[in-house]
Amino acid sequence: AMAGPGWARAVRGLLLDVSGVLYDSGADGGVPIAGSAEAVRRIKASGLKLQLCTNETQATRENFVRKLRALGFDVSVAEVTAPAPAACRLLKERGLRPHLLVHDDLVPEFAEIDKTNPNCVVLGDAAENFTYANLNEAFRLLIGMEKPVLISLGKGRYYKETDGLKLDVGAYMKALEYACDVQAEVVGKPAKRFFESALAELGVPPEQAIMIGDDIVSDVGGAQQCGMRALQVRTGKYRPCDENHPEVKPDAYVNNLAEAVDIILQQ
Amino acid sequence: AMAGPGWARAVRGLLLDVSGVLYDSGADGGVPIAGSAEAVRRIKASGLKLQLCTNETQATRENFVRKLRALGFDVSVAEVTAPAPAACRLLKERGLRPHLLVHDDLVPEFAEIDKTNPNCVVLGDAAENFTYANLNEAFRLLIGMEKPVLISLGKGRYYKETDGLKLDVGAYMKALEYACDVQAEVVGKPAKRFFESALAELGVPPEQAIMIGDDIVSDVGGAQQCGMRALQVRTGKYRPCDENHPEVKPDAYVNNLAEAVDIILQQ
C-alpha cells in the first residue's frame, strides 16, 4: 500500500452521517451526492464495516432505508443507528410514557411504548407538525408535570433541503426549555451514549473507527469526544467558515465521501 | 393620613401592567379582575399620575384601549406604553427595515416604517401566525443577513389566557437565537430603556413611582432595576413559588390592584 496520511491508517469500520454525505434531502425525495453510492459499494467490497449514524427522525428506519435504496444505496435496516430506537430503549429503562411531538411518519417507531397519561415529552423534527397548537400542547403538558422531562431527538440548529434551509429540532427544543425552565436530554448525535451505541452496532472499537459527516459539531465534535477520528466532508451543510470553528478541528477535510474512501482504501 | 408601610410613601405616579392586573386576557375578550376598574378611577380621582406599561403586542394601542374601555376601564391611548411604538422609534433611529413576524392586528403600528428589502426581523407574540412556514421564513431571512438583527417585542416565557397557558414571544425568540447564533435585542419589559420611556410618559421620577405587575421578572425585577419600587399582585400568572424567587424580591405583595390602591391612598 502507498504511504498515506496518518488519519487513514488502521481503520476497520466507518460510521457515516447520511443527509449531506450520501444525499441531499428534500421534499422531492432528495438527490444522491456524486460518487457516494459507489463509495458505499467499495467500502463493503473491501471488507470494512459500515454503519449509518443519523439524526434522521422524519421516517421509520424501514422507510428511510427504502428511500436510500431507491436512490441507489446498498444499505439495510440493521445498518442504521437512529435516535428513535435509542429513545425507546431509554423510555423503557426509566418507565417513561411519552407525549410525542414528532413527524407522523416516525410514530410507528414508538408502537410498543405506553403513551397513556404522559410523564415526559419526546420532541423530534416534527416539520409540518410544528404548529402553534401542537407546541402549546407540548408546553402545557411539560409545565404541568411535577418534574418536567423533555427528551429531544437531536439538537441540530437547521438543515438544508433541496428547497432551502429549515429550522431543526434544536430550535424548538430551546423554545420549550426556555418556557419551562428545563434542560432537555438529547438522544442522537452529538450525545456520547448515542455514538457508543453506533460503535457497538458497528462492532469496532473507537480507535479503529472513523466518523464521516457534514456537521462540524454533531458529527465531528461528537465522534471525537468518543475517541474516534472524524472527517468533515465539503458537501451538504458544510460552509467554509466551519474550517475556523473555535472548538472543533476534524482529523481531516475531504471534498466528499468518495475522496475519503479513496484515501482509506489506499492504505 | 394613617401611618402605613414605607413602600407606600411619597408616591406620585403608578405604572400598571395590564394583563393579569386589570384583566385576564382571552380569545373571548377577557374578564376584568374584581375591583380593578374602580381602582383605576380612584387613582385618577386622587390626582396620582397613571401610565399603563404593557408588553401587549396582539393589537394596536387603539384597539387595545377600545377593548379595555369596553371592560370598564377609563383609559386613553396616551396612557399606554407598549413595545411596538418603542420598536418603531428604534427602527427609525438605526435605519432598519423590518420583516415582521407579529400578530395581524399589530401590523398597523408599523404603517410608517419602510419594510422593503428587510435588514432585520421584528418578532412579536404572533400567536396563530407562529406557523412552521413563517418561522422558517424569518429564520432564512436572518441567517442570510451579513449581520443578523433580531428585535423581540418582550421576552416572556408564557402567559395565561382564559382557555389555558400559551407560549409567549420569548420562547420563539430563543428558537431563532439558537438557530442563527445571535442575541435578540428586547424592546419591552424588562428592558431598562422601555421602563425609562414609560416613566418619561408618566412624568414622574423613578423614586416617586411604583410599578404594579403580576410578573416577578419582567414587571418587578425590571422596574426595580430602574430605581422604582415594585409590587407583585397575587392575580394573573402569579404563582406562590414566585415568593421564593432566587433573585427578585418585590417591595411588597398585594392581593390585587384594589388592595395596593387602598394602601397607597391611605398615605
Side-chain angles (χ1 to χ4, degrees):
Chain A
M2 287 172 49
W7 64 259
R9 291 180 196 150
V11 175
R12 286 187 44 225
L14 279 73
L15 290 187
L16 303 186
D17 179 33
V18 180
S19 179
V21 175
L22 299 193
Y23 80 124
D24 285 317
S25 61
D28 51 4
V31 180
I33 291 171
S36 287
E38 177 62 19
V40 168
R41 271 189 294 276
R42 292 176 66 205
I43 293 165
K44 292 192 165 184
S46 75
L48 287 172
K49 295 195 173 182
L50 176 147
Q51 185 76 15
L52 306 183
C53 182
T54 177
N55 273 3
E56 169 68 39
T57 61
Q58 287 204 3
T60 59
R61 280 166 304 166
E62 284 72 14
N63 283 335
F64 186 52
V65 163
R66 192 169 301 136
K67 183 167 81 170
L68 291 174
R69 294 184 68 87
L71 291 171
F73 294 97
D74 172 24
V75 293
S76 66
V77 170
E79 288 169 331
V80 177
T81 301
C88 288
R89 287 195 296 275
L90 183 149
L91 294 167
K92 282 178 188 162
E93 276 168 28
R94 289 172 41 191
L96 291 169
R97 300 178 306 276
H99 168 79
L100 301 178
L101 178 47
V102 302
H103 198 286
D104 288 344
D105 295 344
L106 193 70
V107 172
E109 291 274 21
F110 296 88
E112 310 285 298
I113 302 286
D114 179 8
K115 291 177 282 289
T116 57
N117 187 20
N119 57 5
C120 75
V121 167
V122 169
L123 189 69
D125 177 15
E128 302 291 342
N129 279 346
F130 281 132
T131 64
Y132 182 60
N134 286 348
L135 285 163
N136 279 330
E137 184 187 15
F139 159 67
R140 274 183 216 134
L141 282 164
L142 272 176
I143 198 95
M145 290 172 193
E146 198 177 341
K147 194 181 171 317
V149 174
L150 174 60
I151 294 169
S152 187
L153 305 179
K155 62 169 186 177
R157 294 168 188 264
Y158 59 89
Y159 53 89
K160 189 178 175 180
E161 294 211 319
T162 44
D163 65 340
L165 297 176
K166 304 276 169 76
L167 287 169
D168 198 0
V169 62
Y172 294 94
M173 174 190 89
K174 287 289 173 183
L176 292 175
E177 282 188 339
Y178 177 71
C180 302
D181 198 17
V182 295
Q183 184 97 36
E185 302 175 39
V186 176
V187 174
K189 298 178 287 187
K192 191 168 186 180
R193 186 172 165 178
F194 186 73
F195 277 107
E196 288 169 350
S197 299
L199 282 168
E201 292 172 52
L202 184 67
V204 165
E207 62 276 12
Q208 298 182 343
I210 288 193
M211 172 77 201
I212 302 177
D214 66 337
D215 189 311
I216 183 74
V217 172
S218 277
D219 295 324
V220 175
Q224 288 179 333
Q225 290 278 327
C226 288
M228 302 171 61
R229 287 162 275 178
L231 309 184
Q232 190 177 14
V233 288
R234 294 195 180 100
T235 54
K237 72 174 135 189
Y238 163 86
R239 298 193 300 173
C241 66
D242 292 344
E243 303 203 15
N244 305 316
H245 195 280
E247 283 153 37
V248 184
K249 289 278 161 235
D251 291 272
Y253 295 95
V254 287
N255 286 322
N256 48 48
L257 177 63
E259 186 186 35
V261 172
D262 278 345
I263 297 171
I264 291 165
L265 294 184
Q266 280 168 19
Q267 296 301 300
Chain B
M2 289 171 49
W7 64 260
R9 291 179 196 151
V11 175
R12 286 184 47 224
L14 280 73
L15 289 187
L16 304 185
D17 179 33
V18 180
S19 179
V21 175
L22 299 193
Y23 80 124
D24 285 317
S25 60
D28 52 3
V31 179
I33 290 171
S36 288
E38 177 63 19
V40 167
R41 271 190 293 276
R42 291 175 67 206
I43 294 166
K44 292 193 165 185
S46 75
L48 287 173
K49 296 196 172 180
L50 175 146
Q51 186 75 18
L52 306 183
C53 183
T54 177
N55 273 4
E56 169 67 39
T57 60
Q58 287 204 2
T60 60
R61 280 167 304 166
E62 285 72 15
N63 284 335
F64 186 51
V65 162
R66 193 170 299 136
K67 183 167 80 170
L68 292 175
R69 294 185 68 88
L71 291 171
F73 294 97
D74 173 24
V75 293
S76 65
V77 171
E79 288 169 329
V80 177
T81 301
C88 287
R89 287 194 296 274
L90 182 149
L91 294 166
K92 282 178 189 163
E93 275 169 28
R94 289 172 40 192
L96 291 169
R97 300 178 306 275
H99 168 79
L100 302 177
L101 178 45
V102 301
H103 198 285
D104 288 343
D105 296 345
L106 192 71
V107 173
E109 291 275 22
F110 296 88
E112 309 285 299
I113 303 286
D114 179 9
K115 293 177 281 290
T116 57
N117 188 19
N119 57 6
C120 75
V121 168
V122 169
L123 189 69
D125 176 14
E128 301 292 343
N129 279 347
F130 281 131
T131 63
Y132 182 60
N134 285 348
L135 285 163
N136 279 331
E137 184 188 14
F139 159 67
R140 273 181 219 137
L141 282 164
L142 272 175
I143 198 94
M145 291 172 192
E146 197 177 344
K147 195 182 169 316
V149 175
L150 174 59
I151 294 171
S152 188
L153 306 179
K155 62 169 186 176
R157 293 168 189 266
Y158 60 88
Y159 54 88
K160 188 179 174 177
E161 293 213 318
T162 45
D163 65 340
L165 296 177
K166 303 278 169 76
L167 286 170
D168 198 358
V169 62
Y172 295 94
M173 175 190 90
K174 288 289 173 185
L176 291 175
E177 282 188 340
Y178 177 70
C180 301
D181 198 17
V182 295
Q183 183 97 37
E185 302 177 39
V186 176
V187 175
K189 299 178 287 185
K192 191 168 186 183
R193 187 173 164 177
F194 187 73
F195 277 107
E196 287 169 350
S197 300
L199 282 169
E201 292 173 52
L202 184 67
V204 165
E207 61 277 11
Q208 298 182 342
I210 289 193
M211 172 77 201
I212 303 176
D214 66 337
D215 189 310
I216 183 72
V217 172
S218 277
D219 294 325
V220 176
Q224 289 179 333
Q225 290 278 327
C226 287
M228 302 171 61
R229 287 161 276 178
L231 310 183
Q232 190 179 13
V233 288
R234 295 195 180 98
T235 55
K237 74 173 133 189
Y238 162 86
R239 298 193 300 172
C241 65
D242 292 343
E243 304 203 14
N244 305 317
H245 195 280
E247 282 153 39
V248 183
K249 288 280 159 233
D251 291 271
Y253 295 95
V254 287
N255 287 322
N256 48 48
L257 177 64
E259 185 186 38
V261 171
D262 278 346
I263 298 171
I264 292 166
L265 294 183
Q266 280 169 19
Q267 296 302 301

